[in-house]
Amino acid sequence: MRGSSLLSAITEEAMSMSVLVGLTWLSLFPVTQGVTYTPVASSNLDLSQLGRVALAGDFDAISLYSYDEQTENAYNTNGSQAILSQLPNGVLSSLAATDARINIMCPFLLKSNEWAGVIVGGNFTSLDGTEAQGIALFNPNTTKVTPLSGLSGQVDALLCDHEQNTVYVGGEFKGANSTNAIAWVGTSGWANMPFAGFNGPVNSIVKAPSGHIIFGGSFTGLGNTTTPSKKNQQVINLSTANITSTGSSSTSGFSSPSNIICKTDGTDGSGDTWLLEDDTAGSWTASMNFGYTPTKLRLWNTHQDSRGAKTFRFTATPIDGIMNLTYTDPSSGENKTCDARCPLTNDSSVTYQDFTFVNSVGMSGFRIDISDWYGSGGGLNGIELFEDDIYAYAINDFNEPSCAVSDGSNSTTTGSWTVSPSLDSNSEYLVASLDSASILSESNSVVFEPHITQSGNYTVTMYTPGCIQDGTCESRSIVNVTGTFTSSSPDGISTLLYQTNDYDKYDQIYTGYVDASSSSFRPSVTLIPSTSASENSTFVAQRIRFQLVSSTGGLNGIYEYNPNDASTTTDTSSSVFDQAGTDLNDGATINTMYVLDDTTYISGSFSGSEYNNIFSISSGKAAALSENGLNSDVMDMVAYGNLLFLGGNFTATSEKKTTGLNNVAQYDTSSKTWKALGAGVNGPVTAIVPLLVNITKNTPETVIFVNGHFNQIQAFSGNSASSAQGIAIWVPSKGNWLQNLDLQTIAISGQLSYSTNLTWAPDAPLFAGSISSQALDASDVVSLSGTSSLVLSTLSVDIEATESQTSSLKKRATAEATGSGAFAGLFYESGSDNYTVLGGHFTAEATNGSTINNLAIINGSSDTVTGIYSGVDTNSTFRTLALHGSTLFAGGTVTGQIDNAALNGLVIYDITSGNFVGTQSSALSGDNVSVNAIAVRPNTGEVYVGGSFDGAGSLSCPGICMYQTTQSQWNRPGALGGNVSSMAWTGKNTLVAGGDLTINGVSTMMATYNAKKQTWAAPNSPSTIPGPITALTAASTDSSQAWIAGQATNGSAFLLKYDGSSWHSAGNIFGTSTTIRGLQVLSLTKTHSSSSVLDSDKSLLVTGQLNLPDFGNASAALFNGTTLTPFILSTTADNEPGSLSQLFSQQQYDFSSSAGSLSTGAIVAIALACALGCMFVLIAVGFILFSARRKREGYMPAPTAAWNEKRATINRVPPEQLFQSLGNRTGDVPML
């Protein structure tokens, strides 16, 4: 077949729309550059004095916040997607979000060589908040969205043709006078192609080397929707309408305007006839709660007492427009038209008169005004209104009235449905708000049964009201739609529909043959909430529509259109593409096509005498690929160089010579050979997208992103099977999956459905999908390093990720109710020993392949990873770590047994020997024992343990105990009680504790301990602290100041500084649901603006799970005394925001050495040297003068002791200690 180059104008009905959109198009800004990104200011952190630095927490993907476009957002699981771009650090960021799926994109270059933007198609109803039904124009520079209004349905295929100045659009939709295919021409707007579309969906459109346009899909002919041969068969329900009138008669039995509803026998009389008052004009009005487009009006005139209506007009509401009607004159038989004065005969032999509507106009009510009458006054005896559209409504009152049609359209409901007003929609609809139990019971359903009078090919469309109008966008979910359309195929169809659309949506759920309704069979469609819906979800049900499709026939999934031909023919023999389609099995489906050089590759679900599921056309000939193609469906296909990557539901080639393909394969178009990608994946692949990833340092290369319904990458060639929840990434240069390679690379989870290169910026492609992405794929711990710029990198430990029910790159162990991740870490160095210790609730792999649970020890000297393999229960959680020498004190919710001694809250382990300490401490006691903090007093053997417990062994020490390592004995440090959440030594003798505490029975959230006096004291104004403290850190070198953070009793997060005498709040700088887990003051390389609470050369690092106003979630932020700035972003594999517990470092932070200043020892040493120098000069001068005098007086030198004999008494006291008391404070202010 051939199409015309003359793209026909759209109908008068749609013309105004086309002109409007065309004018809008002309006003667009030309696109001249690629997507731009905004780098954030440097953090200017100076980590030089800390040695090695690491971050511990609960995350599986992590990034430094480097660009404004980065977020910590999870990917959407409600079916909505976004247009994405790739930042310079590899992270994918959202440019514009939709409320549903994006299926296709193409950059459109006008014939004038101006870039119009990117055409975006899908099943969405809004793009970046702008209403757009399935298609829109997107400007990637300005992110401006221009809707291309006029289509109803889903766009699946696009071809932007610069030479023809045309965008060819395919899918499952109705637009202007075309079905499933239409064209947008330059700046003019929509234009019908001469063949008026197809009688089935279009899935792919490409431009062949010949310049012809190739359409692929699931169709059998050119065609359009049409009306059934039996027209005006759907009766519009007036029996449930609100019926009113004016000028009605006061005669009993004749005054009610409802008398004429469902009266078709023509009998006049009381209760059957509506009359007007004598010699009075009047009106009859019907108002409905649903919309319709009537095609015919039928009126029965009254003859009661020789009365009757003589002239009338029909006015549509709410548009208040008088409708043009055509009718047959009963006396002459001529066809006539009327509008404001349509005549009715008073001939009693004429039972009724039909009036046909000239224009198709939607309305939700109408008024019949009677302006003249026969006899004493007007009236009517019956009325019916018809439409060609075949609808079935969820609200049964809107379906055909049973009084008029015994087997009319109807619906039945089960469960808890309520009626919602129509709001901005076409009609009222049903709403169900269900909990998980109701969803799983499948007790809520709506069954639609249309009134089909003519068998044939139909498109079936389900209408879903938008969620913005009723405020249910947050709770809208998924419905399962099933349908039975023929008596011979009772199983019918089943599909899932997302109902998260912002505006009214139209989903084509079926295209194909439908049997007419009969006494033994009725087509039906059933809607039920999907069992995969989330808890407490909202579902809606409104209506379905059946549209009859006419067709020329003769096609089978492929059509070649020559835009330069001026005629259309039904001859398929002259087209190699059309002919190739007819050679396929009946009902063939083309899913995707790709043009590479001079060859067009066509794939889908089909078979033929020579090829299966894929073949090629080149030089006017169709040919099979080697081994006769593949043994099952191909769903997607992309090219990379001379390689084709294909995804689908296949396992081998058709001839089974190449096996192990398992849903994804590579075809070399040069050597014409098939190759497996490893051993494939264990489920169907639905999308393949090329993506740039840094595989080696600073060397990005193309990888193949594979999406689908699978959860495992198959084992092959020494690579074990690995979890891959819907995502796998193939690295062509390595011949392996990225998940199998030990590389530092970006982290991606979610779905990618499509990518397109911006021709004007080829290095900045756009993507479509629902993605959560961070710069580094790492779980629970990373190192932080760098000078001029900071860098995150992985540590040499393989911590497994948390199990995800949705797409993820990693496998995951089940998280306990106590949480998961690494909660604490520390470094230990002594001589050649170099260890990193991690504690938390996680699973990792040891160097010898064994499993490590919750406590990992990395030996940097031998590059090995070990753990505690016995004695500690695997469900334990380590929340805090501390070292005394090489002895590790690890606390948390820890249970187990070592050498017949029970563990509870604490374990002691020698990391250098790799063994438990011979004598473990007595177990802590109490209900739900948890150790939350451990602090070793400097230069002593005293280990302070804080948490939630009652005592240790037989010793009562609620909340805090001190373990004396020299005696292996517990002691109670003073009269503190309650629950301790954090502790820190801010001096040799001063310990600060935070939590929910008591001192001698008096409540406080913070307390300081004087180790010399063994007493606890609350700070000044303790009531200022609004809730329990979750994190604290020293704020100065003199031990009197501290930063604290926690959660107030109202649930909000707080951050306070204590300056030694009073409290200072950082203000309301956190959003809701913020949890702060760590605080750390850090030095800066550049100063910031001065602040009363923080020196200009310092910044406060806040870690946890933070919510920052006007930004969103972050795992760490930097506070400069006035402003909180995102610093670290992270996410988990189960699609939740990540969190950071703490920063830990090799060296402790020294306030006095920040910003390039010298340490106390150095300052003292310099001062001492200066003083000694001066003294030496004075002594030397005096000695010279004294010697001269003695010599003059005849004295001789006496023998003296050797200098070395007295040298041993010098330098035994460090110089800084000589002056330590100079900075000591006095008074009663508690030392912090």
Side-chain angles (χ1 to χ4, degrees):
M1 297 185 182
R2 295 290 179 270
S4 170
S5 62
L6 304 176
L7 297 170
S8 61
I10 60 177
T11 62
E12 181 180 354
E13 172 189 350
M15 180 64 73
S16 60
M17 175 276 298
S18 178
V19 172
L20 175 62
V21 177
L23 291 174
T24 304
W25 185 291
L26 286 170
S27 68
L28 295 178
F29 296 107
V31 180
T32 58
Q33 61 186 27
V35 179
T36 57
Y37 314 103
T38 307
V40 301
S42 170
S43 63
N44 297 320
L45 290 184
D46 181 6
L47 306 178
S48 59
Q49 65 163 293
L50 299 180
R52 289 188 293 154
V53 178
L55 298 162
D58 180 18
F59 57 85
D60 300 302
I62 191 166
S63 298
L64 289 165
Y65 178 59
S66 305
Y67 297 91
D68 279 346
E69 294 76 14
Q70 287 179 251
T71 71
E72 200 175 85
N73 295 344
Y75 60 85
N76 291 319
T77 59
N78 61 4
S80 60
Q81 294 188 340
I83 300 173
L84 309 165
S85 64
Q86 195 166 20
L87 302 176
N89 61 357
V91 171
L92 291 169
S93 68
S94 174
L95 295 177
T98 70
D99 60 348
R101 183 178 174 86
I102 298 173
N103 295 324
I104 189 77
M105 298 185 293
C106 70
F108 186 31
L109 175 65
L110 297 172
K111 205 167 186 176
S112 60
N113 287 324
E114 290 183 287
W115 287 109
V118 177
I119 308 293
V120 184
N123 69 339
F124 49 82
T125 67
S126 71
L127 178 59
D128 204 28
T130 300
E131 183 174 5
Q133 290 287 343
I135 188 167
L137 177 76
F138 177 70
N139 187 322
N141 297 331
T142 64
T143 68
K144 180 180 180 180
V145 174
T146 303
L148 305 186
S149 303
L151 301 187
S152 60
Q154 171 175 314
V155 172
D156 296 316
L158 292 171
L159 173 65
C160 292
D161 189 346
H162 163 65
E163 295 176 350
Q164 296 293 331
N165 205 37
T166 299
V167 180
Y168 296 96
V169 182
E172 300 177 73
F173 56 77
K174 181 75 169 69
N177 288 327
S178 194
T179 302
N180 300 329
I182 198 170
W184 178 280
V185 180
T187 58
S188 302
W190 293 115
N192 292 311
M193 290 177 286
F195 49 88
F198 300 91
N199 67 348
V202 173
N203 300 326
S204 183
I205 307 174
V206 297
K207 187 173 185 177
S210 64
H212 294 183
I213 310 303
I214 313 301
F215 294 85
S218 182
F219 49 79
T220 57
L222 305 176
N224 204 342
T225 56
T226 186
T227 57
S229 58
K230 299 179 181 179
K231 297 181 180 296
N232 309 311
Q233 291 297 299
Q234 184 102 353
V235 180
I236 297 171
N237 196 340
L238 301 178
S239 65
T240 58
N242 180 31
I243 307 299
T244 58
S245 64
T246 63
S248 295
S249 172
S250 58
T251 303
S252 176
F254 294 93
S255 61
S256 173
S258 298
N259 286 349
I260 63 176
I261 301 295
C262 289
K263 301 296 173 58
T264 60
D265 59 4
T267 302
D268 282 316
S270 177
D272 291 321
T273 302
W274 168 69
L275 296 179
L276 293 173
E277 287 282 7
D278 292 351
D279 298 321
T280 301
S283 64
W284 188 96
T285 302
S287 299
M288 292 83 145
N289 291 319
F290 62 96
Y292 49 89
T293 304
T295 55
K296 185 174 71 175
L297 169 69
R298 178 171 290 174
L299 292 176
W300 283 260
N301 207 351
T302 182
H303 305 287
Q304 178 74 31
D305 301 330
S306 300
R307 304 163 73 99
K310 190 173 186 179
T311 59
F312 74 94
R313 67 171 177 261
F314 186 102
T315 303
T317 58
I319 64 172
D320 200 29
I322 299 174
M323 303 300 294
N324 294 318
L325 304 174
T326 64
Y327 66 98
T328 301
D329 189 320
S331 59
S332 66
E334 296 179 358
N335 291 327
K336 295 184 178 182
T337 61
C338 64
D339 45 37
R341 295 180 63 83
C342 292
L344 278 174
T345 183
N346 67 342
D347 186 348
S348 60
S349 65
V350 178
T351 305
Y352 57 80
Q353 284 183 256
D354 287 340
F355 295 84
T356 302
F357 291 85
V358 175
N359 305 110
S360 296
V361 176
M363 60 191 74
S364 60
F366 64 91
R367 184 178 70 251
I368 293 177
D369 295 293
I370 297 175
S371 54
D372 199 1
W373 48 89
Y374 297 103
S376 299
L380 292 171
N381 203 44
I383 182 172
E384 280 189 333
L385 199 62
F386 300 87
E387 63 183 340
D388 286 335
D389 296 333
I390 304 172
Y391 284 106
Y393 288 87
I395 299 175
N396 209 35
D397 284 351
F398 302 163
N399 288 315
E400 294 180 284
S402 58
C403 62
V405 185
S406 61
D407 59 349
S409 296
N410 68 83
S411 65
T412 55
T413 62
T414 60
S416 304
W417 297 90
T418 59
V419 176
S420 167
S422 59
L423 302 172
D424 296 329
S425 193
N426 175 272
S427 72
E428 292 181 347
Y429 52 93
L430 297 181
V431 179
S433 298
L434 307 177
D435 57 23
S436 57
S438 299
I439 294 171
L440 292 173
S441 69
E442 299 185 2
S443 59
N444 290 264
S445 67
V446 178
V447 180
F448 303 87
E449 292 186 330
H451 182 204
I452 305 296
T453 61
Q454 176 182 340
S455 298
N457 288 312
Y458 287 80
T459 61
V460 182
T461 304
M462 176 161 283
Y463 292 74
T464 304
C467 63
I468 290 178
Q469 62 184 354
D470 60 14
T472 59
C473 291
E474 292 298 320
S475 60
R476 287 282 189 96
S477 196
I478 313 168
V479 293
N480 184 26
V481 177
T482 58
T484 303
F485 303 105
T486 63
S487 58
S488 59
S489 300
D491 293 338
I493 60 101
S494 178
T495 186
L496 293 177
L497 295 181
Y498 288 91
Q499 296 195 322
T500 53
N501 44 292
D502 291 341
Y503 303 95
D504 285 11
K505 183 178 67 163
Y506 324 98
D507 287 300
Q508 284 192 19
I509 60 173
Y510 175 73
T511 299
Y513 195 81
V514 178
D515 283 340
S517 303
S518 67
S519 59
S520 60
F521 174 78
R522 289 200 69 162
S524 65
V525 173
T526 301
L527 178 151
I528 62 172
S530 170
T531 55
S532 61
S534 57
E535 187 174 358
N536 299 321
S537 295
T538 300
F539 307 90
V540 294
Q542 187 184 57
R543 57 181 172 146
I544 60 169
R545 181 182 186 181
F546 284 67
Q547 289 180 288
L548 187 65
V549 177
S550 64
S551 173
T552 60
L555 297 178
N556 192 22
I558 308 174
Y559 175 64
E560 180 180 4
Y561 167 55
N562 184 350
N564 298 313
D565 273 358
S567 61
T568 300
T569 177
T570 58
D571 179 16
T572 63
S573 61
S574 58
S575 167
V576 65
F577 286 92
D578 298 353
Q579 191 60 49
T582 60
D583 290 340
L584 303 178
N585 63 290
D586 291 341
T589 296
I590 306 303
N591 289 325
T592 180
M593 300 184 291
Y594 205 97
V595 177
L596 191 60
D597 299 328
D598 62 348
T599 302
T600 304
Y601 294 90
I602 301 171
S603 65
S605 177
F606 54 79
S607 61
S609 58
E610 297 182 2
Y611 28 76
N612 292 293
N613 302 301
I614 185 169
F615 66 97
S616 66
I617 294 178
S618 181
S619 303
K621 294 181 180 180
L625 270 62
S626 62
E627 302 182 41
N628 203 17
L630 296 166
N631 67 350
S632 194
D633 306 355
V634 176
M635 299 180 186
D636 200 11
M637 174 172 55
V638 298
Y640 170 59
N642 64 334
L643 302 177
L644 283 178
F645 290 91
L646 302 97
N649 198 28
F650 47 81
T651 58
T653 58
S654 183
E655 296 178 357
K656 297 185 178 179
K657 294 179 181 178
T658 302
T659 59
L661 301 181
N662 293 324
N663 307 299
V664 61
Q666 171 188 302
Y667 183 75
D668 191 319
T669 60
S670 298
S671 64
K672 303 187 184 307
T673 56
W674 292 97
K675 182 180 178 181
L677 272 59
V681 294
N682 70 338
V685 170
T686 57
I688 298 182
V689 179
L691 180 71
L692 277 177
V693 172
N694 275 338
I695 299 302
T696 55
K697 188 175 182 180
N698 298 322
T699 308
E701 62 180 82
T702 298
V703 299
I704 306 302
F705 190 99
V706 177
N707 249 133
H709 306 295
F710 55 85
N711 57 26
Q712 187 179 80
I713 296 173
Q714 306 285 58
F716 76 100
S717 301
N719 296 281
S720 59
S722 58
S723 178
Q725 299 291 335
I727 289 179
I729 299 177
W730 180 257
V731 184
S733 66
K734 304 292 185 182
N736 206 336
W737 297 103
L738 183 61
Q739 285 91 331
N740 292 332
L741 301 174
D742 186 16
L743 300 172
Q744 290 198 153
T745 186
I746 63 171
I748 302 176
S749 57
Q751 295 180 335
L752 280 183
S753 59
Y754 199 78
S755 69
T756 186
N757 283 318
L758 302 180
T759 314
W760 60 88
D763 294 331
L766 293 183
F767 302 88
S770 178
I771 286 293
S772 175
S773 175
Q774 301 297 340
L776 183 63
D777 182 7
S779 290
D780 298 347
V781 63
V782 291
S783 69
L784 178 65
S785 60
T787 52
S788 59
S789 61
L790 298 178
V791 176
L792 294 174
S793 55
T794 58
L795 271 66
S796 55
V797 58
D798 182 17
I799 297 178
E800 296 178 352
T802 303
E803 183 64 39
S804 171
Q805 300 301 317
T806 48
S807 299
S808 168
L809 292 179
K810 293 183 173 182
K811 57 186 177 180
R812 183 92 172 170
T814 302
E816 299 289 327
T818 53
S820 63
F823 299 134
L826 54 80
F827 295 107
Y828 172 73
E829 288 191 5
S830 178
S832 60
D833 292 334
N834 173 9
Y835 292 92
T836 304
V837 184
L838 302 172
H841 189 87
F842 55 79
T843 300
E845 184 178 351
T847 304
N848 62 8
S850 61
T851 298
I852 297 172
N853 290 302
N854 311 320
L855 189 67
I857 301 171
I858 306 170
N859 188 330
S861 302
S862 62
D863 196 23
T864 58
V865 180
T866 58
I868 299 176
Y869 297 110
S870 62
V872 179
D873 294 338
T874 59
N875 62 352
S876 296
T877 297
F878 291 95
R879 298 191 173 279
T880 179
L881 305 174
L883 280 173
H884 180 261
S886 64
T887 301
L888 173 69
F889 289 80
T893 51
V894 182
T895 58
Q897 191 168 10
I898 299 174
D899 295 332
N900 297 320
L903 299 177
N904 198 10
L906 182 70
V907 65
I908 307 175
Y909 190 83
D910 191 297
I911 60 175
T912 57
S913 67
N915 295 306
F916 293 103
V917 171
T919 302
Q920 292 289 307
S921 64
S922 299
L924 299 173
S925 60
D927 297 330
N928 302 316
V929 168
S930 175
V931 171
N932 302 321
I934 303 175
V936 179
R937 183 182 177 188
N939 302 320
T940 72
E942 299 174 5
V943 180
Y944 288 73
V945 177
S948 175
F949 49 82
D950 297 332
S954 60
L955 176 68
S956 175
C957 51
I960 186 166
C961 277
M962 186 269 285
Y963 185 74
Q964 179 56 260
T965 58
T966 57
Q967 301 171 355
S968 299
Q969 179 177 304
W970 287 107
N971 295 282
R972 183 177 183 180
L976 186 73
N979 297 323
V980 174
S981 59
S982 55
M983 292 191 304
W985 286 94
T986 58
K988 180 178 179 181
N989 299 313
T990 305
L991 176 67
V992 182
D996 190 359
L997 313 174
T998 61
I999 301 176
N1000 296 320
V1002 179
S1003 294
T1004 181
M1005 301 300 174
M1006 178 176 168
T1008 59
Y1009 179 66
N1010 187 315
K1012 284 188 174 180
K1013 297 180 180 180
Q1014 298 184 3
T1015 58
W1016 290 93
N1020 290 342
S1021 305
S1023 60
T1024 304
I1025 305 174
I1029 296 171
T1030 58
L1032 62 83
T1033 190
S1036 68
T1037 190
D1038 64 2
S1039 306
S1040 65
Q1041 302 184 33
W1043 285 98
I1044 65 170
Q1047 191 168 45
T1049 53
N1050 64 4
S1052 64
F1054 65 84
L1055 177 63
L1056 300 173
K1057 183 184 180 182
Y1058 186 64
D1059 66 4
S1061 59
S1062 59
W1063 293 98
H1064 303 272
S1065 172
N1068 297 319
I1069 58 176
F1070 298 103
T1072 58
S1073 303
T1074 290
T1075 300
I1076 299 174
R1077 296 192 171 97
L1079 299 173
Q1080 176 67 61
V1081 175
L1082 298 171
S1083 296
L1084 299 175
T1085 57
K1086 293 182 180 179
T1087 59
H1088 54 70
S1089 300
S1090 61
S1091 165
S1092 61
V1093 295
L1094 196 64
D1095 294 342
S1096 61
D1097 62 345
K1098 295 180 179 64
S1099 185
L1100 179 67
L1101 175 68
V1102 184
T1103 58
Q1105 192 170 70
L1106 315 178
N1107 182 280
L1108 310 183
D1110 301 323
F1111 177 78
N1113 295 323
S1115 299
L1118 293 171
F1119 182 61
N1120 66 0
T1122 57
T1123 305
L1124 196 64
T1125 304
F1127 179 53
I1128 300 286
L1129 310 178
S1130 73
T1131 55
T1132 65
D1134 53 4
N1135 199 32
E1136 297 290 339
S1139 64
L1140 288 179
S1141 299
Q1142 66 168 187
L1143 175 147
F1144 63 96
S1145 58
Q1146 182 181 3
Q1147 304 294 334
Q1148 294 301 308
Y1149 180 76
D1150 186 347
F1151 285 89
S1152 61
S1153 63
S1154 62
S1157 61
L1158 298 174
S1159 66
T1160 302
I1163 294 173
V1164 171
I1166 291 172
L1168 182 60
C1170 292
L1172 292 175
C1174 292
M1175 291 175 63
F1176 177 78
V1177 171
L1178 292 174
I1179 292 171
V1181 171
F1183 180 76
I1184 293 171
L1185 294 174
F1186 179 74
S1187 297
R1189 176 186 173 189
R1190 297 276 291 186
K1191 188 174 182 180
R1192 286 195 306 268
E1193 295 177 356
Y1195 286 92
M1196 296 296 293
T1200 59
W1203 170 253
N1204 288 338
E1205 291 179 5
K1206 297 184 178 180
R1207 189 174 183 181
T1209 64
I1210 306 299
N1211 293 333
R1212 288 187 176 178
V1213 179
E1216 62 265 29
Q1217 291 188 20
L1218 293 175
F1219 298 89
Q1220 186 178 35
S1221 62
L1222 295 179
N1224 286 351
R1225 297 171 60 93
T1226 60
D1228 298 328
V1229 178
M1231 298 292 290
L1232 300 184

